[in-house]
């Protein structure tokens, strides 16, 4: 009798606890009647994830396989708090970026509401899925592009009072939501790669945003307008790199640092406005900006980073007198026709700061009476011709000249009895060439 009672007790307990181990799955219906698969994350903490059926071929954790309509996920299911949305839980049945072929999906969600207990939403949670409206609640983080290649998303309700847009929140999302997205007034931080590769067409980063993450708008190849309202906003490296249709960008007043690769490979960028407060231009900031033919470098600038303008469209550059460092490859592969330096005491630079073509064909104009200093300083000395800037008629040359000043064609002041072809700067500011017999 005792044995029979023990056997009966075990028969009752085991089925109840068999699915209560970490990793076990179970299903439950939502209030709308959708059958959702969950997976136990921690039996001891009583937490579970949305999505639990693992398909090895497609590395998926599908939450709902066949349903059309609204879905409201509760905060608690069968005694477990819902804290995580698994990869591809509400997505399509393929991973485009992984080269997995698509298969038909019978999931069509009109409005998905997630509970405030969600802590993490994994990469690809909605990727390629058919979800029209999403309501997110609470403070959550992401592990990757959760809306990647999701073209059906029509609206999204972010948590009230949200202060941070998580990393990769809308990365690679191709939907109307992102196309005209407005940063909520409560947001102070935009995460790394938040909108990377999305179909965003314009963005205004309000003054309330204190930080824009690395690559936040990287490869938004449909973006035509980007405005950053305040210099107090710390821009991350590569924030707007690869924005092919962006034609101009103005750094806000008070900006002191231009981040690395900030506009790298912005192919149609024609105009950049740097305020007088800029001290440093980071490495690769404007690299491969082939349409950028001119940029005004402000007095006060001290450091130009490596490859800052490499392979850009610059045809001339005027270096401010305040510079103390120009890093290697800063102007390499630029088709420069003229270089103007206001630096009165030249410092050494790497040979690869400029291309060989620049050294061989572009004249270097320097402050008056500093020509020899440049000729004695590497690698300025590699320029084929170094001339005093007074003969160019540029801003530094607007000082009043009381009499004609004559120069030889190599930029040296001509002596009274010197003969041959000379360049004459007249008292009225005009410049002529003359031959003295």
């Amino acid at each position: 009798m005792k044995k029979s009672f023990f056997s009966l007790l075990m028969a009752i307990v085991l089925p109840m606890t068999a699915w209560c181990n970490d990793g076990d799955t179970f299903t439950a219906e939502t209030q709308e009647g959708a059958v959702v698969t969950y997976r136990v994350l921690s039996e001891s903490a009583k937490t579970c994830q949305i999505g639990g059926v693992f398909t090895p071929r497609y590395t998926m954790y599908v939450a709902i396989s066949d349903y059309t309509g609204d879905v409201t996920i509760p905060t608690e299911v069968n005694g477990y708090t819902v804290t995580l949305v698994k990869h591809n839980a509400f997505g399509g049945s393929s991973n485009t970026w992984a080269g997995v072929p698509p298969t038909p999906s019978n999931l069509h969600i009109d409005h998905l509401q997630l509970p405030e207990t969600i802590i993490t939403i994994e990469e690809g949670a909605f990727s390629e899925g058919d979800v029209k409206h999403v309501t997110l609640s609470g403070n959550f983080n992401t592990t990757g592009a959760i809306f990647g290649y999701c073209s059906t998303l029509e609206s999204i309700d972010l948590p009230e009072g949200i202060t941070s847009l998580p990393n990769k929140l809308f990365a690679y999302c191709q939907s109307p939501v992102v196309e005209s997205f407005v940063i909520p007034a409560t947001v102070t931080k935009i995460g790394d790669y938040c909108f990377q590769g999305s179909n965003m067409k314009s963005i205004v980063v309000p003054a309330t945003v204190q930080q824009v993450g690395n690559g936040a708008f990287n490869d938004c190849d449909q973006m035509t307008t980007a405005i950053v309202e305040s210099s107090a906003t710390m821009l991350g490296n590569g924030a707007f790199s690869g924005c092919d249709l962006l034609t101009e960008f103005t750094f806000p007043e008070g900006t002191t640092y231009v981040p690395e690769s900030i506009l790298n490979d912005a192919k149609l960028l024609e105009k950049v406005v740097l305020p007088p407060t800029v001290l440093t231009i980071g490495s690769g900031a404007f690299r491969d900006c082939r349409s950028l033919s001119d940029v005004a470098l402000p007095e006060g600038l001290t450091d130009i980073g490596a490859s800052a303008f490499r392979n850009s469209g610059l045809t001339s550059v005027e270096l401010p007198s305040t510079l103390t460092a120009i890093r290697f490859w800063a102007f390499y592969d630029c088709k420069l026709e003229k270089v103007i330096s206001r630096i009165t005491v030249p410092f050494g630079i790497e040979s690869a700061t400029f291309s060989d073509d620049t050294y061989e064909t572009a004249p270097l104009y320097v402050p008056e009476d500093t020509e020899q200093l440049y000729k004695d300083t590497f690698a300025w000395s590699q320029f084929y011709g170094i001339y005093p800037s007074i003969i160019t008629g540029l801003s530094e040359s607007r000082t009043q000249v009381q009499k004609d000043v004559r120069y030889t064609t190599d930029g040296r002041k001509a002596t009274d009895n010197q003969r041959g072809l000379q360049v004459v700067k007249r008292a009225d500011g005009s410049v002529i060439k003359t031959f003295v017999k």
Side-chain angles (χ1 to χ4, degrees):
M1 181 68 182
K2 290 183 179 179
K3 184 176 180 181
S4 298
F5 175 80
F6 179 79
S7 300
L8 179 62
L9 179 64
M10 291 300 292
I12 294 173
V13 171
L14 282 177
M16 291 179 65
T17 58
W19 57 270
C20 293
N21 297 317
D22 293 358
D24 285 347
T25 61
F26 62 94
T27 61
E29 280 194 12
T30 66
Q31 63 186 31
E32 299 90 355
V35 178
V36 181
T37 301
Y38 300 89
R39 182 171 182 262
V40 177
L41 287 173
S42 172
E43 170 62 24
S44 60
K46 291 293 181 181
T47 57
C48 69
Q49 70 182 34
I50 303 170
V53 180
F54 174 64
T55 307
R57 180 183 176 190
Y58 300 115
T59 59
M60 293 178 179
Y61 294 83
V62 179
I64 306 174
S65 58
D66 190 356
Y67 180 79
T68 298
D70 295 345
V71 175
T72 302
I73 303 295
T75 59
E76 187 177 293
V77 182
N78 292 356
Y80 294 92
T81 302
V82 182
T83 61
L84 183 145
V85 181
K86 197 63 181 175
H87 165 76
N88 213 74
F90 300 103
S93 55
S94 69
N95 286 330
T96 295
W97 55 78
V100 177
T103 56
S105 173
N106 292 319
L107 178 61
H108 310 283
I109 299 178
D110 293 324
H111 184 191
L112 172 66
Q113 184 163 339
L114 295 176
E116 61 182 12
T117 52
I118 295 295
I119 297 173
T120 302
I121 302 176
E122 287 192 350
E123 179 177 13
F126 306 95
S127 295
E128 301 181 70
D130 185 0
V131 182
K132 293 181 179 179
H133 309 279
V134 175
T135 297
L136 302 175
S137 305
N139 295 317
F140 62 92
N141 61 65
T142 63
T143 63
I146 66 174
F147 290 105
Y149 303 101
C150 183
S151 61
T152 61
L153 190 64
E154 296 177 2
S155 70
I156 182 169
D157 295 323
L158 294 171
E160 185 177 352
I162 187 172
T163 59
S164 176
L165 298 182
N167 297 346
K168 295 188 176 181
L169 177 61
F170 294 108
Y172 301 105
C173 183
Q174 304 289 318
S175 79
V177 169
V178 176
E179 186 176 312
S180 55
F181 190 83
V182 177
I183 306 295
T186 55
V187 169
T188 60
K189 178 183 177 181
I190 299 174
D192 293 346
Y193 308 101
C194 187
F195 296 91
Q196 180 186 33
S198 70
N199 63 330
M200 177 174 281
K201 291 188 176 181
S202 65
I203 188 65
V204 175
V205 180
T208 51
V209 175
Q210 300 171 7
Q211 182 179 350
V212 175
N214 296 331
F217 304 98
N218 169 248
D219 286 339
C220 290
D221 56 12
Q222 297 181 46
M223 182 182 289
T224 58
T225 305
I227 298 173
V228 179
E229 291 187 340
S230 173
S231 63
T233 300
M234 184 169 60
L235 298 175
N237 295 336
F240 295 95
S241 63
C243 293
D244 290 347
L245 300 184
L246 202 60
T247 58
E248 63 178 84
F249 191 90
T250 299
F251 288 87
E253 289 296 324
T255 299
T256 59
Y257 175 66
V258 175
E260 296 179 12
S261 303
I262 180 73
L263 287 157
N264 171 49
D265 200 27
K267 294 181 175 62
L268 297 184
L269 187 69
E270 297 177 346
K271 181 181 179 181
V272 170
V273 178
L274 301 173
T277 49
V278 171
L279 301 175
T280 303
I281 297 176
S283 301
F286 305 103
R287 180 173 179 172
D288 297 323
C289 294
R290 298 299 296 155
S291 299
L292 185 64
S293 60
D294 182 53
V295 63
L297 302 178
E299 279 292 323
L301 180 66
T302 61
D303 195 323
I304 299 177
S307 299
F309 293 93
R310 183 174 182 176
N311 197 39
S312 68
L314 289 182
T315 56
S316 66
V317 62
E318 184 170 345
L319 305 172
S321 65
T322 49
L323 275 173
T324 58
I326 305 175
R327 311 294 175 175
F328 56 92
W329 296 325
F331 299 98
Y332 200 79
D333 288 333
C334 295
K335 305 301 182 184
L336 291 170
E337 299 170 1
K338 176 173 58 180
V339 177
I340 303 157
S341 175
R342 305 300 186 196
I343 303 167
T344 55
V345 181
F347 48 84
I349 59 174
E350 297 284 345
S351 178
T353 300
F354 299 93
S355 296
D356 288 344
D357 287 347
T358 299
Y359 289 121
E360 294 169 4
T361 63
L364 170 62
Y365 296 101
V366 300
E368 190 177 11
D369 296 328
T370 64
E371 304 97 291
Q372 194 57 47
L373 289 176
Y374 278 85
K375 291 175 181 179
D376 294 339
T377 305
F378 193 82
W380 302 104
S381 56
Q382 293 184 209
F383 278 89
Y384 90 98
I386 301 176
Y387 308 101
S389 59
I390 195 168
I391 68 172
T392 67
L394 296 171
S395 57
E396 186 178 285
S397 307
R398 292 173 183 170
T399 55
Q400 293 297 318
V401 180
Q402 302 301 320
K403 62 178 182 178
D404 292 353
V405 181
R406 296 186 294 119
Y407 298 89
T408 61
T409 54
D410 63 359
R412 300 174 184 273
K413 278 188 177 181
T415 59
D416 290 340
N417 60 352
Q418 196 160 356
R419 300 291 181 263
L421 184 63
Q422 297 177 9
V423 178
V424 180
K425 172 69 176 180
R426 288 181 164 175
D428 62 4
S430 61
V431 180
I432 63 169
K433 285 186 178 181
T434 186
F435 187 83
V436 180
K437 293 183 179 180

